[in-house]
Amino acid sequence: MAGQAGLAVLNVLATLVGVGMMIPGLIPEKDEHEPVVRIAAGLSSDESDTTSGNQPGVVLYDIMGRTVGSVGGKKQAIKDGSFIDIKVPFAKGVGTKPAEYISVANGGDDALCIAYIAITQPDGTNKAWYGDIAKACGADWYHSLLKTGDDDYQPSCIWIDRNRSNGLRFQGLGLHFNDFAATEERAAQLNENRDLMCNAAPRFRMYEDFNDKDYIPFFNPPLNLEPKTLTDGDPGAVMDKSRWTMPKEGPHVNKALIDQGPSRRKIRRQSNGPAMFGEASNSSVVIISTSPNHSARELCESETSRGFDFVSSTENLFCDMEPKKLWPVCNDTTKSACFDMVSSTMKPGKGLRGRDSASGQIPPAKHYTKTVHWN
């Protein structure tokens, strides 16, 4: 465990905060001359049901919010289930200051679902952050097949999208890597007080109106974490907005970003218009997963999940994602008003006009052009 301490990263699992390990293969290799940032897209199993998207713009900042280096966004895509390592040249005159803060903004109109972000400094130190943290803080999210660690943990991915299509709300994010080192004490503290993780703008925030030219806030003076537990010694200081500081006035200093919270934009149901995944419309593809980590119930009961209709074979549940409605999967005892995994269709109920005799609701007509199996 000690030898991998630098790879530790905080996981947020639904309502629990736990400690997880980033395996070495998920950390970018060291470059002796500049920091390397890895952005990973959530994994799906086919090119047309993709969580891939445009390469985002990345900006790194030091402990006092000064720009360390930046790389603009590009229309070049990060392949589905893959990653891109972005070398960030040091800005002129800054020397080799270690980066502590990072902003990530979508590089085009092709939405990207980020499973994790990792950084390796020129001295070899590294840190990482999972999309589950943003999911727990109200970001738009979806399941992925990406597996990490010895236990094949599958982090959720979170959406950023420049044109905010299909109800996606956020164009980018900012975070302070150093605040997400994992210890049991740190996990317990953030689980007990989610405001310390989700509502402290310099620590982490999703941004609705954001590009790679915008600065992000930082803590001034810097926070003092307890040396052994890495917990906040003074939680009040974290939430003290007088310490949330933007750089001095300039063309890209938007002080409104300090107060721009993750839930200002109304959450809308996703439409059946242009898909977030590949070329197909959201209603034309259904994903059937055998993974116990993938819950159809969780997708349907979450206001912020976005993506294809989804079946969990372990739960025997089907989530119709547009209205966020759960239906049972057909089996030997349930033969009507259920999802048939053989034909990938909904069977009508036995009531009047095909209504479900138990709920009185009419099962939706589903005609998928493609069924994708996640194993």
Side-chain angles (χ1 to χ4, degrees), residues 13-136:
L13 311 176
T15 58
L16 298 176
V17 178
V19 175
M21 301 298 295
M22 289 290 289
I23 62 175
L26 299 183
I27 297 293
E29 292 186 6
K30 180 181 76 170
D31 185 295
E32 294 182 354
H33 305 290
E34 52 199 10
V36 183
V37 174
R38 176 169 293 181
I39 308 288
L43 178 64
S44 53
S45 61
D46 189 279
E47 289 183 357
S48 65
D49 59 288
T50 178
T51 52
S52 66
N54 296 126
Q55 175 181 323
V58 169
V59 185
L60 300 176
Y61 304 90
D62 71 4
I63 193 172
M64 293 305 296
R66 294 167 293 214
T67 302
V68 170
S70 63
V71 174
K74 301 178 181 179
K75 290 188 176 180
Q76 171 187 350
I78 302 177
K79 292 184 178 180
D80 189 40
S82 184
F83 59 81
I84 189 166
D85 286 345
I86 303 170
K87 293 184 178 182
V88 184
F90 284 108
K92 186 177 180 180
V94 303
T96 57
K97 297 176 181 177
E100 291 203 10
Y101 294 86
I102 184 173
S103 69
V104 178
N106 190 276
D109 292 336
D110 188 2
L112 173 66
C113 203
I114 298 174
Y116 70 86
I117 303 171
I119 184 172
T120 298
Q121 309 274 9
D123 65 0
T125 58
N126 46 59
K127 294 180 173 64
W129 176 93
Y130 278 130
D132 295 283
I133 293 171
K135 170 188 170 184

Side-chain angles (χ1 to χ4, degrees), residues 46 83 91 98 118 136 141 155 171 182 218 242 246 250 288 290-291 293 357 371:
D46 189 279
F83 59 81
W141 67 278
Q171 294 181 331
F218 61 96
S242 68
M246 294 292 286
I288 298 177
T290 60
S291 171
N293 296 318
S357 55
T371 300

Side-chain angles (χ1 to χ4, degrees), residues 135 143-144 146-147 151-156 289-296 298 310 312 314:
K135 170 188 170 184
H143 291 313
S144 84
L146 190 69
K147 295 181 180 180
D151 59 351
D152 286 338
Y153 170 69
Q154 294 176 293
S156 301
S289 174
T290 60
S291 171
N293 296 318
H294 293 155
S295 169
E298 183 186 15
F310 198 89
S312 166
T314 58

Side-chain angles (χ1 to χ4, degrees), residues 178-179 181 183 185-186 189 203 223-235:
N178 291 30
D179 287 344
T183 66
E185 294 85 358
R186 181 64 161 166
Q189 185 181 52
R203 176 162 285 170
L223 298 177
N224 292 317
L225 300 181
E226 296 296 331
K228 292 184 178 181
T229 63
L230 302 179
T231 54
D232 293 308
D234 183 2

Side-chain angles (χ1 to χ4, degrees), residues 6 47 54 61 68 77 131 138 141 150 177 186 213 220 243 274 280 288 299 314 331 339 342:
E47 289 183 357
N54 296 126
Y61 304 90
V68 170
W141 67 278
D150 296 334
F177 268 119
R186 181 64 161 166
K213 304 297 184 186
N220 184 22
R243 299 174 65 131
I288 298 177
L299 280 173
T314 58
N331 54 34
F339 183 86
V342 176

